[in-house]
């Protein structure tokens, strides 16, 4: 079933939006620079702005069709919208904000599940002026979910939060989506934030879709690549925590028979509900070698096969398949010296210190 | 306090003033909320004209307003004649003429206060309410109105206070009939006109100042409580 099918045009003074897409992934990141039309796109989906022509369907339900004069108002579209700066109602306390979109006979079990998952049980009686930015954003997410939407759209939900809080909220969002099976569109101008949630992306610029689909496929589309490269190409992986060696200050992560060593500030006593760890690695931190290298301080040496080479003006991006994909950035000179080509076996080398994980944030107290 | 031993006529003027001002504020408020919302939130052809028309009495001398009302609602006016012939209602020089005169003169002030208050409400909060399943009406009553309430209350008080002080339009359209249309400002004027009644004038001035002051203080306390609550 397609999550979103959109084919519409919208004209505003000095701006023209022309979107054609069919999205079927559960979590879709919408990436683009400021002024690209990301918010306008979400407004159109939610019915807050009306296109001039075209059609939009959400979960195969047509919510807008200019020719057939269909324009379902926002209150009946069932699009849960989380705004950039939470937009909690200032005259209502947290619990009344949460209950605002609930039906007349609210499902208290569902309410408590959401409250527990978001860790906002201790905030219910507080006024919205008494809670922090991160807490407000969690309440806004809860409020949108409690309105029982068909789809959740989040407009730059992390932009006002610092990096630690972003990771905390992102790590909360994924289980929520999985538990309640609500598809989600997330808008951000930060590629790394989006990749932590999904590798399915849509890149937009100047109101137009530059491409959508898998992150690694998009890298080979020049226009989409150019936009993503401005934000910085990044590796975002889901690995499983094997163990933590507090004495050596490292943690061991595994996936598809590969072992990744990362630095750890935690010790063996740290407890995690979820062994999934999101790892974050810059392409320029990965060195390529034709053979495994002995007697070297680099802790991680992973063998893989070059799946694709993407030539840009100054660099070559090498997508390497290890059962999971890693992007390494090398110069044209290095590419020639190593005679890199698609299908060739290669070793990826990176230091444990280059591996960033969300684990340390998960282990922090819920008070933020 | 012999000074404040009010005569029956004076008591009537005070009572009449409070009644006229209260009725005027109560009637004008919902209409002003409607106009305020329309002018703050909607773009339509001829908006400038509607805005201008609503604000017009603000720049007209009140006597002129009274004169126009007399022409329109007087026995020979096109509405006045219709009201008298079909309903037997004589508007001019009646209690309701005093109310209407106050209404027209104070209406722009209320609309302006409400319009500014609604403009101050972040439209994105209304959008958020819509996406949470609230209809236009529910959004208006549960988000816009509560958030604009301090301004709406100010508008109500402004309307009340302006009606309390209304003179020119009232004397022209409603006359100065003791017990019927003689409000406090008119009674003060009459007392000043007749020699030896300076104390009556002073007494009424003090009382009108006190009533207006109480209304202002009341509105401030109400708004402060609202602020505290949110």
């Amino acid at each position: 079933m397609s999550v979103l099918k959109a084919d519409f045009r919208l004209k505003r003074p000095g701006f023209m939006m022309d979107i054609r897409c069919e999205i079927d992934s559960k979590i879709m990141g919408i990436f683009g620079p400021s002024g690209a039309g990301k918010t306008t796109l979400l407004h159109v989906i939610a019915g807050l702005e009306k296109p001039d022509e075209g059609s939009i369907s959400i979960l195969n339900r047509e919510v807008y069709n200019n020719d057939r004069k269909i324009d379902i108002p926002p209150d009946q579209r069932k699009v849960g919208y989380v705004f950039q700066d939470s937009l909690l109602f200032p005259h209502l306390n947290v619990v009344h904000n949460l209950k605002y979109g609930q039906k007349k006979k609210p499902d208290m079990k569902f309410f408590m599940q959401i409250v527990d998952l978001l860790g906002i049980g201790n905030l219910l009686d507080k006024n919205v002026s008494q809670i922090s930015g991160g807490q407000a954003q969690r309440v806004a997410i809860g409020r949108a979910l409690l309105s029982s939407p068909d789809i959740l759209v989040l407009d730059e939900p992390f932009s006002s939060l610092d990096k630690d809080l972003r990771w905390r909220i992102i790590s909360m969002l994924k289980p929520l989506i999985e538990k309640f099976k609500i598809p989600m569109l997330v808008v951000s101008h930060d590629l790394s934030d989006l990749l932590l949630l999904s590798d399915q992306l849509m890149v937009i610029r100047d109101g137009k879709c530059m491409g959508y689909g898998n992150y690694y496929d998009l890298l080979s589309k020049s226009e989409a690549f150019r936009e993503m490269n401005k934000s910085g190409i990044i590796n975002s992986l889901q690995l499983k925590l094997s163990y933590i060696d507090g004495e050596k200050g490292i943690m061991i992560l595994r996936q598809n028979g590969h072992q990744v060593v990362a630095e750890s500030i935690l010790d063996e006593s740290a407890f995690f509900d979820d062994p999934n760890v999101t790892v974050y690695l810059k392409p320029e931190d990965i060195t390529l070698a034709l053979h495994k290298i002995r007697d070297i301080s680099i802790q991680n040496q992973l063998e893989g096969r070059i799946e694709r080479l993407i030539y840009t003006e100054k660099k070559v991006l090498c997508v390497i398949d290890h059962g999971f994909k890693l992007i390494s950035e090398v110069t044209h000179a290095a590419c020639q010296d190593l005679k890199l080509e698609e299908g060739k076996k290669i070793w990826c080398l990176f230091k444990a210190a280059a591996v960033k994980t969300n684990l340390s944030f998960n282990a922090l107290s819920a008070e933020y | 306090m012999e000074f404040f031993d009010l005569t029956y006529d004076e008591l009537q003027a005070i009572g009449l003033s409070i009644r006229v001002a209260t009725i005027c504020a109560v009637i004008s408020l919902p209409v002003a909320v409607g106009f305020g919302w329309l002018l703050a939130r909607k773009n339509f052809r001829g908006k400038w004209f509607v805005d201008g028309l609503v604000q017009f009495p603000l720049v007209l001398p009140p006597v002129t307003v009274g004169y126009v009302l007399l022409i329109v609602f007087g026995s020979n006016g096109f509405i006045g004649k219709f009201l008298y012939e079909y309903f037997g209602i004589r508007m001019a020089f009646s209690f309701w003429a005093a109310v209407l005169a106050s209404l027209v003169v104070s209406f722009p002030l209320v609309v302006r206060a409400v319009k500014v208050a609604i403009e101050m409400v972040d439209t994105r909060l209304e959008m958020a309410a819509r996406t949470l399943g609230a209809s236009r009406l529910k959004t208006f009553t549960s988000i816009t109105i509560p958030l604009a309430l301090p301004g709406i209350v100010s508008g109500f008080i402004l309307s009340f206070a302006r009606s309390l002080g209304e003179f020119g339009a009232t004397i022209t359209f409603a006359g100065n009939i003791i017990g019927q249309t003689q409000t406090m400002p008119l009674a003060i004027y009459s007392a000043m006109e007749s020699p030896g009644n300076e104390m009556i004038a002073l007494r009424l001035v003090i009382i009108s100042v006190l009533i207006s002051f109480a209304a202002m203080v009341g509105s401030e306390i109400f708004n402060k409580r609202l602020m505290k609550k949110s």
Side-chain angles (χ1 to χ4, degrees), chain B residues 95-119:
Chain B
F95 170 77
W96 287 103
V99 172
L100 188 60
S102 286
L103 255 176
V104 174
V105 173
S106 65
F107 191 64
L109 294 171
V110 203
V111 173
R112 185 169 282 205
V114 174
K115 183 186 153 197
V116 171
I118 291 177
E119 277 171 346

Side-chain angles (χ1 to χ4, degrees), chain A residues 85-86 131-139 157 160-161 165 169 368:
Chain A
D85 32 12
S86 76
I131 62 175
S132 69
Q135 290 170 332
Q137 203 54 283
R138 280 185 289 158
V139 173
S160 57
L161 310 175
L165 278 183
I169 292 194
Y368 59 89

Side-chain angles (χ1 to χ4, degrees), chain B residues 203-216:
Chain B
R203 210 153 51 201
L204 290 172
V205 164
I206 292 171
I207 289 168
S208 71
V209 166
L210 285 177
I211 295 172
S212 299
F213 186 71
M216 290 291 179

Side-chain angles (χ1 to χ4, degrees), chain A residues 226-260:
Chain A
R226 208 173 301 136
E227 280 315 311
M228 291 193 287
N229 198 31
K230 282 180 195 165
S231 171
I233 304 292
I234 199 93
N235 287 294
S236 165
L237 313 167
Q238 282 286 337
L239 306 179
K240 285 202 189 314
L241 176 66
S242 182
Y243 65 91
I244 295 172
D245 189 334
E247 239 172 67
K248 291 182 183 166
I250 56 165
M251 63 174 102
I252 307 298
L253 307 156
R254 289 185 204 280
Q255 190 69 281
N256 292 50
H258 292 285
Q259 176 179 300
V260 172

Side-chain angles (χ1 to χ4, degrees), chain A residues 282-297:
Chain A
K282 289 181 182 172
E284 59 266 34
D285 287 341
I286 302 176
T287 305
L288 297 183
L290 294 175
H291 310 283
K292 190 169 184 175
I293 299 173
R294 291 178 196 281
D295 307 324
I296 187 169
S297 70

Side-chain angles (χ1 to χ4, degrees), chain A residues 75 79 85 87 89 91 100-101, chain B residues 124-125 130 132-134 142 147:
Chain A
D75 49 308
V79 175
D85 32 12
L87 288 183
F89 305 129
H91 60 301
Y100 188 87
Chain B
R124 294 174 314 149
L125 290 170
R130 294 300 308 278
L132 290 166
S142 65
L147 290 174

Side-chain angles (χ1 to χ4, degrees), chain B residues 122-144:
Chain B
D122 189 343
T123 49
R124 294 174 314 149
L125 290 170
E126 294 167 348
M127 284 182 183
R130 294 300 308 278
T131 63
L132 290 166
S135 63
R136 279 177 196 277
L137 185 66
K138 189 186 169 190
T139 303
F140 183 66
T141 54
S142 65
I143 304 295
T144 317

Side-chain angles (χ1 to χ4, degrees), chain B:
Chain B
M1 291 287 279
E2 239 174 70
F3 178 72
F4 281 111
D5 283 344
L6 299 162
T7 66
Y8 180 69
D9 288 352
E10 287 164 43
L11 279 171
Q12 268 196 323
I14 295 166
L16 200 66
S17 272
I18 293 174
R19 261 202 302 155
V20 167
T22 309
I23 293 171
C24 170
V26 168
I27 293 176
S28 66
L29 194 69
V31 186
V33 167
F35 270 94
W37 176 80
L38 200 70
L39 295 170
R41 286 286 188 258
K42 292 284 155 190
N43 283 319
F44 53 90
R45 198 177 284 180
K47 183 177 171 179
W48 63 271
F49 181 75
V50 176
D51 200 7
L53 202 69
V54 169
Q55 303 295 334
F56 201 46
L58 210 59
V59 290
L60 276 181
V63 177
T64 316
V65 174
Y67 182 76
V68 172
L69 286 173
L70 201 56
I71 289 174
V72 177
F73 290 95
S75 314
N76 293 319
F78 70 98
I79 295 179
K81 202 171 182 179
F82 169 81
L83 284 175
Y84 184 66
E85 279 179 10
Y86 289 91
F87 303 102
I89 297 170
R90 206 188 279 274
M91 272 294 281
F93 305 107
S94 71
F95 170 77
W96 287 103
V99 172
L100 188 60
S102 286
L103 255 176
V104 174
V105 173
S106 65
F107 191 64
L109 294 171
V110 203
V111 173
R112 185 169 282 205
V114 174
K115 183 186 153 197
V116 171
I118 291 177
E119 277 171 346
M120 299 284 279
V121 176
D122 189 343
T123 49
R124 294 174 314 149
L125 290 170
E126 294 167 348
M127 284 182 183
R130 294 300 308 278
T131 63
L132 290 166
S135 63
R136 279 177 196 277
L137 185 66
K138 189 186 169 190
T139 303
F140 183 66
T141 54
S142 65
I143 304 295
T144 317
I145 292 285
L147 290 174
L149 203 55
I152 293 171
V153 172
S154 296
F156 182 86
I157 298 299
L158 264 177
S159 169
F160 181 84
R162 179 66 187 86
S163 304
L164 216 57
E166 168 41 37
F167 179 83
T170 310
I171 203 164
T172 318
F173 179 46
N176 188 5
I177 308 161
I178 296 173
Q180 273 188 52
T181 65
Q182 193 187 63
T183 54
M184 268 195 290
L186 272 60
I188 293 166
Y189 174 73
S190 298
M192 280 167 64
E193 284 292 283
S194 44
N197 283 344
E198 291 82 6
M199 288 314 278
I200 297 176
L202 182 63
R203 210 153 51 201
L204 290 172
V205 164
I206 292 171
I207 289 168
S208 71
V209 166
L210 285 177
I211 295 172
S212 299
F213 186 71
M216 290 291 179
V217 170
S219 114
E220 274 304 302
I221 292 172
F222 182 79
N223 279 348
K224 278 217 170 111
R225 278 199 183 165
L226 269 183
M227 298 286 237
K228 229 181 195 176
K229 227 176 144 187
S230 60

